[in-house]
């Protein structure tokens, strides 16, 4: 009996020892985990420091400033009516590096050739009535084919049609021709000019110049040239702000129109 009790007592301490050992293992495992986490944190911190150091060393691309286009610039400014000095300056700037001093002087327009400018309060008809008060008599006396008395130069076909509609109150019995390239062949326009007497021509500088060069349109009866100077399109551009239109217009003026202005037979107006 004593032996049996002794054996039972011997077994109990061994179980306690086993129980005591188990939590120690858990503690060591938790310690290892915390150390591993610390190491990971240290690695992340070190990596972040390295990244920031690299970022400092590399220059970031500078942000480009958005350039103001002509639409933005014009939208912020008040409209200003064109004047004779504007056209003179345009001619001078465009031909400054292309022509000699003597040739530039030949392009100089006398002040006497300029008609009253549009102060932005006029419609086309009211402006034409002001600069040509004796239109009824002028149109009655005109009988030359392939030539017009009044030439209105604008930037596009759509603008041409719009201006022709505005001529109703002015033209009287005068015949108006549209002189642009869109959907109309130059040969067709030459036939129309040769067929009967036309009093007013409205169109783009490129097509008008082409008609003059092909001898479909002459300047024999021409008395008035009106530039649609102040009108702006949807992008707020005038005809002189559109490069190809500006070049065509200047070339057209150079084709005997400036010569006629200097001779006193042609008058220029900026509408």
């Amino acid at each position: 009996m004593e032996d049996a009790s002794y054996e039972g007592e011997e077994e109990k301490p061994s179980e306690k020892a086993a129980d005591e050992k188990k939590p120690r293992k858990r503690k060591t495992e938790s310690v290892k985990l915390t150390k591993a986490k610390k190491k990971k944190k240290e690695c992340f911190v070190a990596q972040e420091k390295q990244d920031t150091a690299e970022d400092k060393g590399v220059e970031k691309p500078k942000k480009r400033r958005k350039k103001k286009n002509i639409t933005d610039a014009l939208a912020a400014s008040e409209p200003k009516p064109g004047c004779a000095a504007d056209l003179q300056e345009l001619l001078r700037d465009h031909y400054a590096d292309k022509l000699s001093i003597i040739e530039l002087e030949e392009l100089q327009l006398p002040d006497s050739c300029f008609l009253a400018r549009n102060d932005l309060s006029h419609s086309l008809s009211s402006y034409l009535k002001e600069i040509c008060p004796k239109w009824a008599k002028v149109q009655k006396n005109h009988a030359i084919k392939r030539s017009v008395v009044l030439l209105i130069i604008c930037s596009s076909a759509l603008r041409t049609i719009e201006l022709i509609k505005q001529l109703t109150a002015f033209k009287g019995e005068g015949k108006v021709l549209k002189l642009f390239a869109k959907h109309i062949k130059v040969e067709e326009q030459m036939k129309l000019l040769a067929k009967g007497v036309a009093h007013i021509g409205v169109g783009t500088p490129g097509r008008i110049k082409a008609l003059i060069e092909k001898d479909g349109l002459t300047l024999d009866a021409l008395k008035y040239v009106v530039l649609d100077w102040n009108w702006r399109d949807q992008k707020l551009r005038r005809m002189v702000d559109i490069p190809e239109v500006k070049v065509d217009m200047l070339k057209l003026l150079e084709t005997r129109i400036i010569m006629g202005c200097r001779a006193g037979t042609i008058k220029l107006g900026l509408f």
Side-chain angles (χ1 to χ4, degrees), residues 58-73:
V58 178
E59 290 183 2
K60 292 182 179 180
K62 293 180 180 179
K63 290 182 179 179
R64 290 184 179 179
R65 289 183 181 179
K66 189 180 178 182
K67 291 183 178 179
K68 286 186 177 181
N69 55 30
I70 189 168
T71 305
D72 296 332

Side-chain angles (χ1 to χ4, degrees), residues 134-193:
K134 297 180 180 179
W135 173 250
K137 185 179 179 181
V138 170
Q139 75 166 25
K140 189 177 180 180
N141 293 335
H142 174 56
I144 302 173
K145 293 181 180 180
R146 296 191 300 115
S147 189
V148 294
V149 179
L150 169 62
L151 201 54
I152 301 171
I153 303 166
C154 59
S155 59
S156 67
L158 288 173
R159 180 60 177 165
T160 299
I161 293 166
E162 187 181 334
L163 289 173
I164 289 172
K165 289 177 181 177
Q166 293 180 27
L167 284 170
T168 307
F170 170 78
K171 66 177 183 176
E173 296 178 2
K175 185 180 178 182
V176 183
L177 288 181
K178 48 188 177 184
L179 307 174
F180 55 77
K182 195 172 184 179
H183 306 309
I184 305 174
K185 292 180 180 179
V186 68
E187 290 79 14
E188 291 177 16
Q189 290 168 337
M190 289 173 69
K191 286 177 183 177
L192 285 171
L193 285 161

Side-chain angles (χ1 to χ4, degrees), residues 3-270:
D3 293 335
S5 62
Y6 181 77
E7 286 175 3
E9 287 174 4
E10 283 289 324
E11 287 175 3
K12 285 178 182 178
S14 63
E15 287 174 3
K16 285 180 181 179
D19 292 335
E20 287 174 2
K21 285 179 182 178
K22 285 179 183 177
R24 284 179 186 175
K25 284 182 181 179
R26 287 176 187 171
K27 283 181 181 179
T28 53
E29 285 174 2
S30 62
V31 169
K32 285 179 181 178
L33 286 169
T34 52
K35 284 182 179 180
K37 285 179 181 178
K38 283 181 181 179
K39 283 182 180 179
K40 283 183 180 179
K41 283 182 181 179
E42 287 172 0
C43 289
F44 284 129
V45 171
Q47 186 66 36
E48 285 176 1
K49 286 181 179 178
Q50 188 177 353
D51 291 341
T52 52
E54 287 175 359
D55 290 341
K56 285 179 182 178
V58 178
E59 290 183 2
K60 292 182 179 180
K62 293 180 180 179
K63 290 182 179 179
R64 290 184 179 179
R65 289 183 181 179
K66 189 180 178 182
K67 291 183 178 179
K68 286 186 177 181
N69 55 30
I70 189 168
T71 305
D72 296 332
L74 291 171
S77 62
E78 292 183 5
K80 186 181 176 183
C83 61
D86 295 333
L87 180 56
Q88 298 276 34
E89 186 181 357
L90 184 69
L91 284 164
R92 187 169 56 252
D93 292 346
H94 182 75
Y95 290 107
D97 57 347
K98 298 178 180 67
L99 301 175
S100 65
I101 296 171
I102 296 170
E103 287 171 327
L104 282 171
E105 286 177 358
E106 290 175 355
L107 292 178
Q108 187 73 23
L109 292 163
D111 293 336
S112 58
C113 80
F114 285 98
L115 297 162
R117 67 174 183 171
N118 176 22
D119 59 0
L120 304 182
S121 65
H122 282 287
S123 66
L124 180 59
S125 288
S126 66
Y127 177 70
L128 293 175
K129 284 177 181 178
E130 182 181 326
I131 64 172
C132 187
K134 297 180 180 179
W135 173 250
K137 185 179 179 181
V138 170
Q139 75 166 25
K140 189 177 180 180
N141 293 335
H142 174 56
I144 302 173
K145 293 181 180 180
R146 296 191 300 115
S147 189
V148 294
V149 179
L150 169 62
L151 201 54
I152 301 171
I153 303 166
C154 59
S155 59
S156 67
L158 288 173
R159 180 60 177 165
T160 299
I161 293 166
E162 187 181 334
L163 289 173
I164 289 172
K165 289 177 181 177
Q166 293 180 27
L167 284 170
T168 307
F170 170 78
K171 66 177 183 176
E173 296 178 2
K175 185 180 178 182
V176 183
L177 288 181
K178 48 188 177 184
L179 307 174
F180 55 77
K182 195 172 184 179
H183 306 309
I184 305 174
K185 292 180 180 179
V186 68
E187 290 79 14
E188 291 177 16
Q189 290 168 337
M190 289 173 69
K191 286 177 183 177
L192 285 171
L193 285 161
K195 189 176 180 180
V197 176
H199 302 83
I200 304 171
V202 187
T204 54
R207 175 47 60 93
I208 294 169
K209 180 176 171 290
L211 286 166
I212 293 170
E213 288 174 348
K214 290 178 179 291
D215 206 28
L217 176 67
T218 69
L219 306 181
D220 298 338
L222 186 63
K223 294 183 182 296
Y224 305 98
V225 174
V226 174
L227 303 177
D228 188 29
W229 187 277
N230 297 302
W231 181 79
R232 298 181 187 275
D233 62 11
Q234 290 181 344
K235 295 181 179 179
L236 299 179
R237 299 175 302 176
R238 301 169 301 171
M239 63 186 297
V240 292
D241 297 322
I242 305 169
E244 58 273 19
V245 177
K246 180 186 77 173
V247 171
D248 285 342
M249 184 196 75
L250 293 173
K251 285 181 179 178
L252 173 60
L253 292 176
E254 197 181 353
T255 309
R256 286 183 54 202
I257 290 178
I258 290 177
M259 191 187 298
C261 291
R262 289 174 67 88
T265 57
I266 298 174
K267 299 289 183 180
L268 262 176
L270 303 183

